């Protein structure tokens, strides 16, 4: 969905000033306050922002629109980390990859992550991702979708086309988020 230049500028202010009120955002821009309030309502209706307790925050779609228009910088990376509580990996690489799906996504970080992984999950596709992106993906999966919570592991198991089983999530033995075959996990499961 195309949005006009003024909407993109207002969205940029939402990201750069987060957490901020509508009033603070309006005062930071060179447009009349009423025009900014109107643009903020349009952004919210289109799913690029949301308002909770007077604070306007970008949604995942809003962050991806920012990345498409301005690139990924420390500001958007910090906002993403705060909103989605992601500590590991390179979120700029992750967001840049997700940006291609911006129009198809809602504000659900897990669904967005699964969009990136493909359905059904493809081992080769995941292995082809940058290791820092895999770290972000594994952290999101371990926190949001821990179908496996066993022996110090939180995450999911994925079968490859050759029958091997891979783990995506947090491994307490390795003390990191990863995508790999974990011998400790499979010894315990056998």
């Amino acid at each position: 969905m195309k949005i006009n230049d003024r909407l993109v500028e207002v969205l940029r202010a939402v990201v750069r000033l987060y957490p901020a009120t509508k009033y603070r955002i309006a005062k930071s821009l060179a447009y009349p306050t009423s025009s900014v309030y109107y643009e903020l309502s349009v952004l919210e209706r289109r799913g690029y922002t949301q308002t909770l307790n007077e604070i306007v925050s970008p949604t995942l779609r809003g962050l991806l629109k920012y990345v498409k228009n301005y690139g990924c910088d420390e500001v958007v990376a910090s906002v993403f980390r705060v909103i989605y509580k992601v500590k590991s990996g390179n979120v700029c690489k992750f967001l840049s990859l997700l940006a291609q799906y911006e129009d198809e996504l809602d504000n659900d970080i897990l669904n967005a992550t699964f969009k990136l992984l493909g359905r059904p999950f493809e081992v080769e596709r995941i292995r082809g991702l940058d290791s820092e992106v895999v770290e972000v993906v594994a952290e999101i999966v371990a926190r949001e979708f821990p179908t496996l919570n066993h022996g110090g592991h939180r995450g999911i198991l994925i079968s490859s086309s050759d029958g091997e089983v891979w783990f995506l999530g947090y491994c307490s033995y390795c003390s990191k988020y990863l995508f790999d075959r974990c011998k400790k996990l499979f010894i315990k499961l056998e």
Side-chain angles (χ1 to χ4, degrees), residues 114 141-142 144-150 153-157 168:
F114 287 169
V141 167
E144 302 286 332
F145 193 66
T147 59
L148 174 70
N149 194 348
H150 176 76
H153 291 79
R154 288 186 329 272
I156 59 176
L157 298 175
L168 177 65

Side-chain angles (χ1 to χ4, degrees), residues 11-168:
L11 178 61
R12 183 178 192 206
V14 168
V15 172
R16 297 191 81 68
L17 296 172
Y18 176 80
T21 63
K22 290 179 181 180
Y23 181 78
R24 181 169 171 224
I25 294 164
K27 289 300 174 188
S28 75
L29 296 166
Y31 302 114
T33 301
S34 61
S35 296
V36 175
Y37 274 57
Y38 173 77
E39 299 295 3
L40 285 167
S41 71
V42 170
L43 286 169
E44 190 156 351
R45 276 195 314 273
R46 292 185 181 179
Y48 293 103
T49 65
Q50 59 189 13
T51 306
L52 183 62
N53 298 330
E54 306 285 323
I55 300 298
V56 180
S57 62
T59 62
L60 181 59
R61 286 185 72 210
L63 291 172
L64 296 177
K65 178 60 81 179
Y66 179 100
V67 169
K68 274 184 165 180
N69 284 280
Y70 301 106
C72 192
D73 55 26
E74 192 53 43
V75 172
V76 76
S78 295
V79 171
F80 178 81
R81 287 184 189 284
V82 167
I83 292 174
Y84 293 100
K85 298 170 182 63
V86 172
K87 295 180 179 123
S88 62
N90 187 326
V91 297
C92 275
K93 287 181 182 178
F94 175 75
L95 291 172
S96 295
L97 287 172
L98 269 186
Q100 64 187 314
Y101 304 112
E102 173 236 323
D103 289 332
E104 303 168 38
L105 300 177
D106 56 14
N107 200 29
D108 186 326
I109 189 64
L110 188 60
N111 283 337
T113 302
F114 287 169
K115 184 78 172 170
L116 184 64
L117 299 181
R119 291 213 180 163
F121 299 134
E122 301 164 3
V123 168
E124 290 307 315
R125 185 171 179 175
I126 301 169
R127 288 180 68 199
L129 294 173
D130 182 282
S131 63
E132 292 178 312
V133 172
V134 170
E135 213 179 336
V136 174
V137 167
E139 181 178 351
I140 292 167
V141 167
R143 188 184 64 242
E144 302 286 332
F145 193 66
T147 59
L148 174 70
N149 194 348
H150 176 76
H153 291 79
R154 288 186 329 272
I156 59 176
L157 298 175
I158 303 170
S159 295
S160 65
S161 57
D162 61 4
E164 291 214 6
V165 178
W166 289 70
F167 172 74
L168 177 65

